[in-house]
Structure formats: structure tokens, C-alpha cells
Amino acid sequence: MDFLDRILYIPLDRLPFYLITLIIAFTIHEFSHAYFANKFGDPTAKLLGRVTLNPAVHFDLFGIILLLIAGFGWARPVPVNRDNFSKPRLMGIIVSAAGPLSNLLLAVIGTLVYAMLNHFGALESIDNEKLLSAIRIFFNTFNLMNFFLFLFNLIPLPPLDGYRIIEDLAPRSILGDLKRLEQWAVFIFLLIMIVPPLQNYTIRPLYAFANYMYLEFFYAFQYLIGG
């Protein structure tokens, strides 16, 4: 157990809550990409069985392990062929943005539910301290992680959705340059995310801002419910 505590980014006693959160968050995220791509006329994801809420088809084992160890990771990316879209750039942006926005929606809904449970005293009626603690840890983990995944996936570096959005927004004249730089950008991304001193300027500020968003939404909902 001590060995796991040393190598995991996530505290061992909170690992089950993170795993449940990731199963939900990653599944909804990738499903959203696949759903909108199929809706806009690209059957690639559907033919590969990705338009589904089955977590098993969306998980990337290495991405999950890296998230637990380093604090960031990914699911299996949904393949998208923009040539099948009637408006490739616009629809490409929507498909790319659908994933992060699904995490934002999950975070907002989760925060609203938690604010309502707190406001109406539903949690105070629970006598079992362990159960009460588990419920609080789950909501805090679920909401914070989904806010974080929303922000993280908007980083404009490959292989993240933020980069795909930049690709679709960029003038056609520089698309070739972007493609040539993509392999180096992936290396830079991994470098700034894995090297501990650099995490002070990448992962940790993102977590801090995600926590700020979570608290702002929570207090706003408490105010609206109480008002």
C-alpha cells in the first residue's frame, strides 16, 4: 500500500471515486464526439461501435494509468473523417467541442445536485458517517474532475480537442505548417505535463482554476436555490 501511495498521483483512499468519475466522464466525452460526428454524416465512429455508452470501447489503458500516476490522461480518441461533413470546418469544431462541453455539463449538473442536497438538508439526515463521507468525496471528486477535464481538453496542443478546434479555425494556408509541427507539439505536450517542475505551470494551475469554477458554481447555485 505504501508503494502505491508513492507512485499514484491520486491518494489511494480516493482511488475508487476517481475511477468511477473517469468511467462516467470519459465515456460521455467520447460518446459525444462519436454522436455528433455520426449526426453530421460521418459514420466512421458508428461503424467502429463508438456511438455507445459502453465504457469498455472508449477506455485507453495507458491513458488511465498515466492519469492515476501523473495527474493527466486520455480515453481512446474517436476517429473522425471531416470529409464526410457537408460543412467540414464548422461541423469539425462542433464535434471537437462536444467532448469538453459534455464534461462541463456533467460538472454543472453534478454541482447543482450537490448544492440541492446540501441546501435541503438531505445529507444531514444520514447518520452513517462513512456513507456521508463517501457521498461528499464522490461529489467533490466528480465535479472537480469534470471541470478539470473541460479545461484540460481545451489546451491547444495535440492530441487534445483544443488543438483540433484550432486546426478547423486556422487559415488553410497554414494547415500544412501545423501538420508538420504536430509531432513536435505532441512531444512538447508530454514534456510539460510529465516533468514535475513544469507541472507547476500546467497541471496544477488547471486544477486550481477548475476548483475555482467548481466553488463559484456551487455558491451560485446555493444562492439561487436559497433566494
Side-chain angles (χ1 to χ4, degrees):
M1 290 299 181
D2 289 341
F3 171 72
L4 288 175
D5 275 326
R6 286 196 298 271
I7 67 171
L8 290 177
Y9 186 89
I10 309 300
L12 194 58
D13 60 340
R14 302 200 172 196
L15 187 58
F17 303 101
Y18 276 88
L19 289 176
I20 294 170
T21 293
L22 293 176
I23 288 172
I24 298 171
F26 281 6
T27 299
I28 298 296
H29 181 109
E30 298 304 330
F31 167 79
S32 299
H33 286 314
Y35 174 83
F36 280 99
N38 185 60
K39 204 74 174 172
F40 290 152
D42 175 25
T44 307
K46 185 176 182 180
L47 292 172
L48 293 171
R50 299 298 300 276
V51 187
T52 176
L53 292 173
N54 177 6
V57 304
H58 297 301
F59 266 51
D60 181 291
L61 181 59
F62 180 72
I64 296 298
I65 292 173
L66 195 59
L67 192 146
L68 297 177
I69 294 175
F72 77 97
W74 51 78
R76 287 178 60 202
V78 169
V80 176
N81 184 353
R82 285 164 168 74
D83 292 337
N84 290 323
F85 298 153
S86 59
K87 298 179 179 178
R89 292 198 142 195
L90 174 60
M91 292 177 174
I93 291 170
I94 294 171
V95 169
S96 295
L101 288 176
S102 72
N103 293 124
L104 178 61
L105 181 61
L106 286 173
V108 171
I109 292 173
T111 303
L112 175 60
V113 171
Y114 190 42
M116 292 176 68
L117 290 174
N118 275 281
H119 179 77
F120 293 111
L123 297 180
E124 294 176 5
S125 63
I126 299 175
D127 294 327
N128 188 313
E129 288 295 327
K130 289 186 177 180
L131 176 60
L132 178 60
S133 176
I135 292 172
R136 291 193 182 280
I137 291 172
F138 170 73
F139 273 106
N140 285 321
T141 302
F142 182 85
N143 298 333
L144 177 59
M145 281 300 298
N146 273 290
F147 277 120
F148 171 75
L149 289 171
F150 163 66
L151 296 171
F152 177 77
N153 279 286
L154 290 178
I155 295 174
L157 286 172
L160 300 176
D161 298 318
Y163 175 76
R164 302 304 166 196
I165 293 172
I166 294 296
E167 265 191 321
D168 286 315
L169 287 173
R172 294 186 184 278
S173 59
I174 69 167
L175 285 180
D177 294 330
L178 283 177
K179 286 293 182 185
R180 283 191 292 274
L181 292 171
E182 193 168 312
Q183 60 178 330
W184 298 108
V186 171
F187 175 76
I188 292 169
F189 169 76
L190 291 173
L191 187 66
I192 64 176
M193 292 296 170
I194 292 175
V195 178
L198 295 179
Q199 286 185 346
N200 293 327
Y201 304 97
T202 54
I203 292 293
R204 291 187 179 89
L206 278 183
Y207 268 116
F209 191 65
N211 189 60
Y212 170 78
M213 289 181 68
Y214 175 29
L215 292 175
E216 288 298 307
F217 271 96
F218 181 80
Y219 293 135
F221 285 140
Q222 287 277 61
Y223 176 78
L224 292 173
I225 295 169

